[in-house]
Amino acid sequence: NEEVHTFVIAAGLAAAVIDMLRASRQFLAANNIATNGQLFLTGYSEGGYATLAAQKEMEENLASEFSITASMPAAGPYDMSSTIQYMVDQPTNENPELLGFVFKAYDYWYSLSRLDSIFQAPYASVIATYYDGTRSAGEVQSALTTNMTDLFTTTFRSEFLGSGETTFKAYLGLNDIYNWAPRTPTRFFHGQEDTIVPYTNATTALASMTSAGATDVSLVDCVAVPRGHEECVPSYLLEVTDWFGSLATDL
């Protein structure tokens, strides 16, 4: 019985990270493998979102079990509401397979059964069936269209960009994960020219967290040229390695 990956759904991604850490702890103990006791969290793109979702769950509900040394969420869509509004509003989207995946995951996990009213034919059936793990991102991309007027039904797009589609917007809102005050030293990393996950996700999170009282949250800008989503990965790897390396002890 197949399940759809919890693509940018906070609860599912946080649970996966936490389960992995618990399993790792058991494995290390069972095999008498020593650690230095520090926990670092980081990830890029959806991984950046998963990092912050896990950090939020740990700090708010599992603080006695997990003590995080430092966290670097990178290039993630922490403000899902604004990010999806932005994507739907664009005339063209070069990565419709990512946008389709968001709607497929939310439609599945929140039992909406809305794909036929959200997407036009033949794209509705593509999004309904192509995310089963047997097709590459490129295959899904090729089966969709980059034209948002053609991808979405006129009714859905106008309602979503207007005051309608309140139920779907509410589910996106459940997965906005920036409105809290981390206690862990946290550095966001993002490319200023990122067109896949807008840079405003990082600036919104930083402003919101600072306003909520966070005292050790900052934003590191990408130094690549151009400063796009994929181009910034090497810059991110250097930043996270340098920062975590400076904090690591007893290695």
Side-chain angles (χ1 to χ4, degrees):
N1 190 23
E2 80 176 44
E3 280 191 352
V4 177
H5 170 56
T6 49
F7 191 57
V8 283
I9 295 176
L13 293 174
V17 173
I18 290 163
D19 285 349
M20 182 190 70
L21 288 170
R22 287 172 174 159
S24 299
R25 185 187 292 151
Q26 290 176 0
F27 175 84
L28 293 167
N31 291 276
N32 297 311
I33 300 172
T35 76
N36 70 349
Q38 291 180 303
L39 173 60
F40 296 91
L41 298 180
T42 192
Y44 196 89
S45 196
E46 189 198 9
Y49 181 91
T51 295
L52 193 63
Q55 179 184 342
K56 185 173 188 287
E57 177 65 16
M58 289 177 190
E59 288 198 29
E60 292 181 346
N61 298 313
L62 300 168
S64 62
E65 181 181 356
F66 294 102
S67 177
I68 308 165
T69 304
S71 175
M72 182 175 274
Y78 323 109
D79 182 353
M80 282 296 293
S81 295
S82 295
T83 299
I84 301 306
Q85 283 273 334
Y86 161 81
M87 289 181 171
V88 174
D89 192 34
Q90 295 300 296
T92 60
N93 186 318
E94 296 304 314
N95 296 96
E97 74 282 4
L98 299 178
L99 189 54
F101 202 178
V102 172
F103 280 89
K104 170 66 175 177
Y106 278 63
D107 188 75
Y108 177 86
W109 284 104
Y110 295 116
S111 302
L112 303 177
S113 298
R114 288 286 317 281
L115 295 179
D116 284 333
S117 64
I118 293 174
F119 297 102
Q120 296 196 51
Y123 309 118
S125 62
V126 170
I127 290 168
T129 60
Y130 273 42
Y131 296 95
D132 62 356
T134 68
R135 299 177 190 266
S136 68
E139 287 178 277
V140 183
Q141 182 185 51
S142 297
L144 296 174
T145 175
T146 58
N147 186 317
M148 296 299 98
T149 303
D150 293 340
L151 184 65
F152 292 100
T153 63
T154 304
T155 301
F156 173 80
R157 192 163 184 248
S158 62
E159 290 288 318
F160 185 74
L161 296 176
S163 59
E165 288 295 340
T166 55
T167 299
F168 195 86
K169 288 174 181 174
Y171 286 121
L172 289 171
L174 282 177
N175 294 284
D176 290 339
I177 55 171
Y178 59 85
N179 197 14
W180 60 294
R183 295 185 297 273
T184 300
T186 303
R187 289 186 186 177
F188 288 96
F189 175 95
H190 219 110
Q192 302 91 307
E193 296 155 19
D194 193 329
T195 57
I196 293 177
V197 181
Y199 180 69
T200 51
N201 278 284
T203 55
T204 294
L206 177 61
S208 179
M209 290 173 172
T210 302
S211 177
T215 58
D216 197 356
V217 177
S218 58
L219 170 56
V220 179
D221 285 340
C222 171
V223 296
V225 179
R227 298 173 295 187
H229 192 74
E230 294 175 353
E231 293 88 349
C232 283
V233 171
S235 177
Y236 152 71
L237 291 172
L238 288 173
E239 289 288 347
V240 73
T241 303
D242 286 350
W243 187 37
F244 287 0
S246 73
L247 298 174
T249 59
D250 301 323
L251 295 180

